[in-house]
Amino acid sequence: DADVTQTPRNRITKTGKRIMLECSQTKGHDRMYWYRQDPGLGLQLIYYSFDVKDINKGEISDGYSVSRQAQAKFSLSLESAIPNQTALYFCATSGGRGGETQYFGPGTRLLVL
Amino acid sequence: KQEVTQIPAALSVPEGENLVLNCSFTDSAIYNLQWFRQDPGKGLTSLLLIQSSQREQTSGRLNASLDKSSGRSTLYIAASQPGDSATYLCAVSAGFGNEKLTFGTGTRLTIIP
């Protein structure tokens, strides 16, 4: 089984709808991240969490919210989806001991009509 | 604000050739630099991580170098194979215990059989 899983893998929604993207990890890591990837723009950090009680905004948090339900679960919500939120969304985890890599999920492809 | 640039955006080479991918960053105060591989429809896989105090890292046919003072890194791939075809991303982290990553936009590599 994959260490970092994301659901759903693909989602089509309409403008104004609220949607939630979920991430689960079995690596026992404290730190979790949400990124979005747009063609030609690389990955941009949306939110990150260094433990269950610590949540921080990233570069592009407007229009998004997150919830860290447990060490292993980190959800990203779009309260009212808009077309320019169409993108590929990645969840990642890291151990937080400094100098470690991040482990990425397979991504969720979101299309907002 | 840290900016990471990767040139070229796309590269095609015949199988068996050695090749170099380039990454540059504007702020030399980095903690580490990582190279990732991204396959279509999949997440990112970490290839090599270089700490700021290191000059290079090697894994199999891959060698990554880091010149922190000049803000540059290269990923050298020896004896390229069709299976190396993917998008390669470099990313830098801000500091110890702060593994937020700033990504480049990637180089899409195609190895021609």
Side-chain angles (χ1 to χ4, degrees):
Chain A
D1 287 341
D3 294 319
V4 184
T5 57
Q6 293 183 234
T7 56
R9 294 293 313 278
N10 294 281
R11 178 73 183 268
I12 301 174
T13 191
K14 295 182 179 180
T15 297
K17 295 291 188 181
R18 181 182 188 275
I19 67 165
M20 179 182 289
L21 310 182
E22 299 185 336
C23 176
S24 295
Q25 52 108 349
T26 59
K27 298 191 73 67
H29 287 166
D30 286 327
R31 302 186 175 206
M32 300 186 72
Y33 311 78
W34 275 105
Y35 295 89
R36 68 176 275 176
Q37 185 178 35
D38 298 276
L41 290 181
L43 277 77
Q44 296 174 279
L45 183 64
I46 307 172
Y47 270 95
Y48 61 102
S49 170
F50 284 174
D51 65 41
V52 175
K53 297 181 180 180
D54 179 70
I55 293 179
N56 305 278
K57 293 182 177 180
E59 305 169 72
I60 54 165
S61 59
D62 288 347
Y64 301 94
S65 63
V66 291
S67 173
R68 184 81 183 268
Q69 300 94 327
Q71 185 203 39
K73 296 184 182 295
F74 193 34
S75 300
L76 176 72
S77 293
L78 286 68
E79 298 299 328
S80 180
I82 56 177
N84 75 2
Q85 291 178 311
T86 293
L88 187 55
Y89 290 85
F90 287 106
C91 173
T93 75
S94 68
R97 289 189 293 274
E100 295 185 6
T101 190
Q102 292 186 12
Y103 296 86
F104 283 77
T108 294
R109 189 170 298 277
L110 175 65
L111 174 61
V112 182
L113 301 175
Chain B
K1 179 185 174 184
Q2 178 73 270
E3 293 183 0
V4 181
T5 303
Q6 292 184 248
I7 296 173
L11 179 66
S12 294
V13 298
E15 180 179 0
E17 287 198 0
N18 304 324
L19 60 100
V20 174
L21 305 181
N22 297 296
C23 173
S24 61
F25 47 95
T26 55
D27 185 349
S28 62
I30 64 169
Y31 187 67
N32 61 43
L33 182 145
Q34 302 180 49
W35 282 93
F36 291 88
R37 169 183 172 139
Q38 183 177 17
D39 293 283
K42 297 185 179 180
L44 281 67
T45 302
S46 180
L47 298 172
L48 290 164
L49 183 152
I50 311 176
Q51 302 293 353
S52 60
S53 58
Q54 298 175 321
R55 297 285 291 181
E56 64 179 333
Q57 281 286 341
T58 298
S59 176
R61 295 182 294 107
L62 305 180
N63 176 276
S65 67
L66 174 64
D67 184 341
K68 184 180 168 183
S69 61
S70 68
R72 294 181 181 180
S73 175
T74 61
L75 178 66
Y76 174 83
I77 302 177
S80 58
Q81 303 171 357
D84 294 329
S85 296
T87 296
Y88 291 80
L89 299 162
C90 72
V92 298
S93 70
F96 179 83
N98 181 5
E99 287 87 9
K100 293 183 296 178
L101 295 175
T102 301
F103 282 85
T105 53
T107 295
R108 188 173 66 254
L109 175 65
T110 302
I111 305 300
I112 305 166

